Amino acid sequence: MSRYQRSTELFQRAQKSLAGGVSSNVRALAQPPLYFRSGSGAHVVDADENVYLDYTLSQGPLFLGHSPPSVLDAVERALRNGQLYGAQHELEIELAESFRRIVPCAELARFCNSGSEAVHAAIRVARAHTGRDKILKFEGHYHGWYDETLVSSAPSLAQAGPREAPTPVLASGGQLASAIDNVIVLPWNDADLMRATLQRHGHELAAVIMEPVMCNNSCIPPQPLYLETVRELCAQHGIVLIFDEVITGFRLALGGAQSYFGVTPDLATFGKAMANGFPIACLAGRRELLALIACLEVNHSGTYNSNVMVTAAAHATICKLERLDYQRIHKLGEKLINGLRKLAAKYGLPVLIQGFGPVFHLAFTVRDSFLEYRDSLESDSLRNSRFVRAMLDRGIRLLSRGLWYLSAAHTEADIQLTLETVEDIWSEQSWSYPTKKPSTLDLSERLDESISRKV
Ligand SMILES: Cc1ncc(COP(=O)(O)O)c(C=O)c1O
């Protein structure tokens, strides 16, 4: 009987009533699609009672691990008194105050339900503030699934056009063709190109939006002084700089990438780790900008915004994070990264790891760095899929796209076990590398993947 028998049966049943058998397209990429019963700390248990050490953390939110008692208790206590008032409650003030205390750009905050919504609100505020329509985003950066931002988040090389002036690429059937009319796309990490582009288009741009670390594609860090240069250029041209910190917020550092790198955007969006898995997100930023929402000039609404459950979850999570030893997680992650690099060297595998202790990316590639999205297409995604599956079969759950998330619940023993498991796989003869360059192995597969992912 298959190790995934029950999940397979559930998936077949689900497909009859649930579109694609899943509730988010990105989940359909996991092979096999698993159904889960429980999660605790760094571990999850699937429907077949297989236990996994989890490095997916549900696409990142579970920075305190699965089911942290302090968060669950806070939610339970708060919910006994009510769920939603269609009005205010005190906890949302405390949550907003903690943003002001922790996040450098956060003079004011607004809460909503998802990262996609927060990004939508940020762009609307930027447009209202500047009276301009266009936004500039970067190839490979993901900002949610709404029409205007789901552009060039993972285009194939064939679609992407010239590097210096990429073609904005839609990523979903049903997206308005006009969604790209107001979007300029650039490669990330190229300050000179950014400068030249803003000289021509700066006066038309309401916002520049970026992931301050390109977590959604290969976890590429900003080049030295890149963020500072973009910050300065946006100020010169009167453009609102938006950091999308849905992944980096509360994960890279308590105050997000903006505090880690010391560069303060005008607006920033948060989600994921801010409530350890509960669906709340935040738009935070300069008072002058959020004032447009405050005075009702910009519409930001939502029936479920700051409901009791998610507000209590975020409040309890952030209270815990304020006392968390971030250094420990960085060090633990670095230990894992170094261990993986040593094993790759020992078995002659061309492996590139980029990122930080709390979130990093492993690619099979002969390149010694990826600086921008197009570099990352030169990786052997078939081999990555094989690796992810081999790990799953041995009880370690990874994301199919090569991103690894660590939580406060991971331990030294977990890292040790992970490295032993990886060695068990990579030491097999079948892992020795072919002479053929990996970059040529998989472009068609990468194309298929890029069409379906992240939607
Ligand atoms: C950087 C970034 N921005 C925005 C989003 C969208 O957030 P959500 O899935 O909560 O809508 C994501 C989701 O993965 C993300 O990684």
Side-chain angles (χ1 to χ4, degrees):
M1 202 165 87
S2 153
R3 175 179 159 81
Y4 308 110
Q5 179 73 26
R6 180 76 184 128
S7 274
T8 308
E9 287 164 10
L10 287 171
F11 185 55
Q12 281 161 1
R13 178 177 146 206
Q15 281 171 301
K16 295 184 188 136
S17 54
L18 192 58
V22 296
S23 292
S24 169
N25 277 17
V26 73
R27 294 180 197 165
L29 295 178
Q31 287 305 325
L34 295 183
Y35 286 75
F36 288 91
R37 280 192 182 152
S38 63
S40 173
H43 294 88
V44 276
V45 182
D46 74 8
D48 290 274
E49 303 289 347
N50 299 308
V51 180
Y52 303 91
L53 177 58
D54 189 15
Y55 287 102
T56 77
L57 303 179
S58 204
Q59 297 285 348
L62 305 175
F63 193 46
L64 295 173
H66 291 264
S67 319
S70 63
V71 177
L72 298 190
D73 289 349
V75 169
E76 205 184 317
R77 268 197 314 276
L79 276 180
R80 280 202 207 105
N81 295 326
Q83 294 81 52
L84 187 64
Y85 305 112
Q88 292 58 251
H89 56 110
E90 200 167 330
L91 210 48
E92 67 190 299
I93 308 174
E94 284 184 32
L95 186 57
E97 285 170 350
S98 61
F99 268 78
R100 285 198 60 183
R101 196 166 58 242
I102 292 168
V103 176
C105 79
E107 291 172 358
L108 282 176
R110 256 297 168 97
F111 300 112
C112 53
N113 307 294
S114 72
S116 302
E117 269 183 57
V119 166
H120 188 60
I123 291 172
R124 186 175 275 185
V125 166
R127 286 187 168 139
H129 174 72
T130 57
R132 304 169 182 168
D133 288 341
K134 285 197 193 320
I135 60 168
L136 189 152
K137 80 171 291 287
F138 297 93
E139 219 164 47
H141 290 226
Y142 178 73
H143 302 295
W145 64 285
Y146 289 4
D147 274 14
E148 236 176 344
T149 41
L150 193 62
V151 173
S152 297
S153 47
S156 69
L157 264 187
Q159 300 168 304
R163 178 191 174 274
E164 274 69 28
T167 309
V169 179
L170 295 172
S172 169
Q175 233 176 329
L176 279 176
S178 60
I180 53 176
D181 289 353
N182 284 314
V183 182
I184 295 176
V185 177
L186 279 187
W188 194 55
N189 255 339
D190 185 337
D192 290 339
L193 187 56
M194 178 81 181
R195 189 175 290 107
T197 306
L198 291 199
Q199 254 154 29
R200 267 179 287 127
H201 295 286
H203 64 285
E204 304 170 283
L205 283 167
V208 168
I209 183 165
M210 69 161 79
E211 296 182 63
V213 174
M214 189 177 174
C215 293
N216 274 298
N217 264 298
S218 305
C219 206
I220 303 178
Q223 285 290 89
L225 292 183
Y226 180 70
L227 297 180
E228 288 83 348
T229 307
V230 173
R231 170 65 286 183
E232 204 179 302
L233 287 168
C234 285
Q236 271 169 23
H237 291 272
I239 301 165
V240 175
L241 176 61
I242 305 170
F243 278 180
D244 181 349
E245 297 233 40
V246 167
I247 292 180
T248 50
F250 298 95
R251 171 170 283 281
L252 197 56
L254 181 63
Q258 54 192 280
S259 83
Y260 188 87
F261 294 110
V263 176
T264 306
D266 300 304
L267 293 174
T269 52
F270 296 85
K272 299 205 190 249
M274 71 173 270
N276 211 68
F278 285 84
I280 180 169
C282 176
L283 168 63
R286 276 175 40 213
R287 180 173 296 278
E288 184 192 3
L289 296 173
L290 272 285
L292 292 165
I293 291 179
C295 75
L296 311 184
E297 185 179 329
V298 169
N299 186 324
H300 172 253
S301 306
T303 303
Y304 302 111
N305 289 357
S306 72
N307 67 72
V308 171
M309 174 179 71
V310 297
T311 312
H315 185 257
T317 299
I318 291 174
C319 284
K320 190 97 183 155
L321 293 179
E322 284 191 278
R323 296 191 305 275
L324 192 73
D325 182 358
Y326 275 78
Q327 275 306 316
R328 188 193 84 84
I329 302 177
H330 274 268
K331 283 201 183 119
L332 203 60
E334 281 155 21
K335 194 165 180 183
L336 179 54
I337 292 171
N338 290 335
L340 290 166
R341 283 188 180 136
K342 276 193 194 136
L343 287 175
K346 181 169 172 186
Y347 294 102
L349 294 177
V351 162
L352 171 65
I353 302 177
Q354 288 188 298
F356 304 84
V359 54
F360 63 87
H361 183 269
L362 183 151
F364 293 92
T365 179
V366 289
R367 292 189 66 110
D368 55 16
S369 69
F370 293 152
L371 296 183
E372 60 183 78
Y373 169 71
R374 291 182 194 210
D375 297 345
S376 74
L377 293 176
E378 291 188 38
S379 65
D380 184 347
S381 57
L382 280 181
R383 187 163 288 249
N384 181 60
S385 304
R386 247 183 84 200
F387 175 56
V388 170
R389 179 58 192 259
M391 290 287 274
L392 192 77
D393 291 345
R394 288 164 175 79
I396 298 187
R397 186 174 174 230
L398 304 177
L399 284 171
S400 58
R401 58 198 174 118
L403 202 61
W404 296 52
Y405 285 110
L406 250 73
S407 75
H410 284 86
T411 62
E412 296 271 351
D414 293 331
I415 302 307
Q416 194 54 38
L417 174 74
T418 305
L419 292 172
E420 283 164 17
T421 307
V422 172
E423 177 148 30
D424 190 38
I425 296 168
W426 286 354
S427 60
E428 284 170 11
Q429 184 59 33
S430 61
W431 278 83
S432 61
Y433 226 82
T435 45
K436 200 172 166 193
K437 244 183 121 187
S439 53
T440 56
L441 291 177
D442 66 328
L443 281 183
S444 58
E445 143 115 359
R446 179 76 202 194
L447 181 68
D448 294 345
E449 196 183 293
S450 68
I451 289 166
S452 55
R453 77 191 296 209
K454 280 291 172 200
V455 182

